[in-house]
Amino acid sequence: MNNLSLYGWNDNLFQLKQNSAYKHLFHGRVSAVNKTNYEVIAEHGVLLCELSGNVLYGRSSFELPCTGDWIIFQPFDDNKGIIVDILPRKHTLYRRKSGTVSERQAIASHIDKAFIVQSLDANFSVRRMERFMFQVLEENIQPILILTKSDLEFNRHQVNESLKHIDRQIPVFFTSILSPETILPIRKFVSQGESIVLVGSSGVGKSSLINALCERTVFLTSEISKSSGKGRHTSTRREMVLMDDSGILIDTPGVREFGLASDNAEALADMLDVSAFAESCRFKNCMHIDEPGCAVVEAVNSGILEPEVYNSYLKLRKESWHFSTSEYEKRKRAKSFARISDEAKRIKKR
Ligand SMILES: Nc1nc2c(ncn2[C@@H]2O[C@H](COP(=O)(O)OP(=O)(O)OP(=O)(O)O)[C@@H](O)[C@H]2O)c(=O)[nH]1
Ligand SMILES: [Zn+2]
């Protein structure tokens, strides 16, 4: 028997379930997405589920279940089920689907906190962190920066300096799997029933961190999985584990690149601490790019705003603009399709 409240089940979700036509059936949480089925944690065990045609019908791929989703299923056989409904999502981490300009992909849903994991070797990149952070904040998920491998040589002063424009908005932890005392504060930072997603490049130590947080080996680290010859296989699975007396950890091993899937200029300016300059800019609708007299550009020129931070703002701004513009184009196209089909119906009636 699983106590689903440990997996985040709560009154809110119960209320959401009451709105479903399938409220009399069982519910569970998607713990892994495989190619042809979904692993679901339910009260009476772990099931492998498929989607009913009803759920599939009319949904875009980003609306299909992702890890962390709460679903309703009809059980059959011993450990199998059919997913008949998905409870409305909250706090979902999306990214741009790789190889597309404006398609979204859901990574994990019903998430409270995101551990943005980077290692203190060559992997450390404030710019990449900002990209993750922006996407996470967009869904009101709390970002937490975890800098791993602190046993290796690194310049702590330099690291802190490069984070100073965002360190009020994101807690930063330095960890090493060789020093348990660096792991403990993170575990204390999470409360029971909270869902945490881990994001970061391959090899930064996400699996090692999860093992350390759980004080047991729940995930194979890449060394082990490589020697078993199944490295590729393990890296495409997403998985969910419980920390004792604490929250739920969700790994995202397959997520190598992370394109923005949102657009919010104000939130971006806030995050990067350029909003004070943006507000004092006298131009309405200023893009703060090359408009003469722009307060943001002036702040860069006079050395108050760091060029790297400003560049990051420009880069992310441009990327999210690209994302939303083509979203809009697509909506426009969808509308004209609807119009054409309405017209076709009218013609048929005559
Ligand atoms: N020195 C040091 N090495 C570490 C630390 N944490 C992890 N490593 C090593 O870094 C390598 C990668 O660790 P993993 O935990 O597999 O990294 P991952 O982020 O899960 O990688 P993927 O599964 O590919 O996404 C392994 O060789 C670990 O032993 C640390 O704190 N210090
Ligand atoms: Zn401006």
Side-chain angles (χ1 to χ4, degrees):
M1 285 292 275
N2 291 314
N3 174 359
L4 289 185
S5 63
L6 297 181
Y7 285 91
W9 183 253
N10 58 34
D11 286 346
N12 275 338
L13 291 162
F14 175 81
Q15 290 305 330
L16 289 175
K17 188 182 174 187
Q18 303 317 302
N19 298 330
S20 169
Y22 300 96
K23 63 181 178 195
H24 53 285
L25 290 177
F26 300 94
H27 59 265
R29 194 167 194 193
V30 176
S31 57
V33 177
N34 303 318
K35 277 218 170 65
T36 56
N37 57 27
Y38 299 86
E39 194 182 279
V40 171
I41 297 176
E43 218 140 50
H44 57 272
V46 179
L47 295 97
L48 280 182
C49 292
E50 285 171 29
L51 295 180
S52 74
N54 195 26
V55 169
L56 260 172
Y57 185 75
R59 265 181 228 260
S60 309
S61 67
F62 75 90
E63 294 168 314
L64 295 178
C66 68
T67 305
D69 266 333
W70 286 95
I71 56 91
I72 302 181
F73 66 92
Q74 166 88 64
F76 74 92
D77 287 353
D78 256 354
N79 297 307
K80 296 208 178 91
I82 301 281
I83 295 174
V84 293
D85 205 359
I86 308 168
L87 296 191
R89 274 182 187 156
K90 278 189 180 141
H91 308 299
T92 307
L93 181 64
Y94 291 101
R95 67 162 170 170
R96 200 180 63 233
K97 202 169 171 182
S98 44
T100 72
V101 199
S102 62
E103 264 181 77
R104 291 201 287 176
Q105 181 184 6
I107 307 289
S109 71
H110 300 280
I111 299 300
D112 300 289
K113 292 174 172 151
F115 288 176
I116 300 170
V117 187
Q118 295 194 339
S119 53
L120 284 157
D121 48 22
N123 179 261
F124 176 66
S125 153
V126 182
R127 304 287 86 90
R128 191 170 340 99
M129 197 271 308
E130 289 164 346
R131 157 185 301 270
F132 277 127
M133 189 174 162
F134 179 54
Q135 193 63 48
V136 160
L137 285 172
E138 214 29 45
E139 286 278 321
N140 285 317
I141 298 168
Q142 189 194 2
I144 291 127
L145 177 60
I146 299 191
L147 299 171
T148 61
K149 311 195 188 182
S150 62
D151 51 286
L152 302 178
E153 210 172 298
F154 70 99
N155 187 332
R156 189 179 283 255
H157 176 72
Q158 216 172 328
V159 169
N160 286 332
E161 274 295 301
S162 66
L163 292 171
K164 70 172 190 293
H165 62 299
I166 42 108
D167 63 5
R168 277 185 307 263
Q169 307 166 61
I170 181 169
V172 182
F173 292 95
F174 290 80
T175 68
S176 164
I177 46 165
L178 306 177
S179 326
E181 72 275 11
T182 64
I183 308 290
L184 197 64
I186 300 179
R187 197 178 308 131
K188 285 199 180 138
F189 199 75
V190 177
S191 22
Q192 198 161 68
E194 272 189 333
S195 298
I196 292 96
V197 67
L198 286 90
V199 290
S201 318
S202 179
V204 295
K206 296 184 297 296
S207 315
S208 308
L209 179 68
I210 289 173
N211 289 337
L213 284 167
C214 295
E215 288 180 308
R216 62 197 144 97
T217 302
V218 286
F219 279 162
L220 299 178
T221 61
S222 42
E223 270 169 340
I224 302 168
S225 57
K226 260 180 209 127
S227 65
S228 76
K230 287 194 271 183
R232 214 68 218 162
H233 176 72
T234 50
S235 69
T236 54
R237 279 173 63 89
R238 289 192 276 281
E239 294 203 46
M240 178 185 286
V241 290
L242 280 186
M243 285 193 275
D244 290 338
D245 305 316
S246 185
I248 305 120
L249 297 174
I250 298 173
D251 194 14
T252 59
V255 181
R256 293 223 163 71
E257 47 166 16
F258 208 94
L260 293 182
S262 62
D263 185 11
N264 185 339
E266 268 169 44
L268 180 64
D270 270 349
M271 183 188 102
L272 293 175
D273 224 8
V274 300
S275 53
F277 308 111
E279 273 160 27
S280 65
C281 188
R282 60 200 157 96
F283 304 117
K284 240 190 164 183
N285 302 325
C286 183
M287 297 281 287
H288 316 305
I289 296 174
D290 51 7
E291 293 89 339
C294 163
V296 177
V297 177
E298 254 165 33
V300 180
N301 288 338
S302 61
I304 316 172
L305 178 58
E306 278 181 50
E308 288 88 2
V309 175
Y310 176 61
N311 272 331
S312 180
Y313 169 80
L314 288 183
K315 240 180 125 182
L316 294 174
R317 190 73 199 80
K318 191 172 154 201
E319 189 179 329
S320 49
W321 182 79
H322 268 285
F323 177 80
S324 65
T325 305
S326 22
E327 275 280 275
Y328 171 69
E329 289 298 332
K330 261 193 309 203
R331 273 202 296 274
K332 238 176 28 187
R333 222 182 314 153
K335 266 186 203 149
S336 57
F337 275 133
R339 206 184 53 233
I340 293 166
S341 118
D342 282 350
E343 263 162 21
K345 276 181 209 149
R346 262 202 300 280
I347 292 167
K348 238 168 123 185
K349 270 186 199 148
R350 268 193 249 143

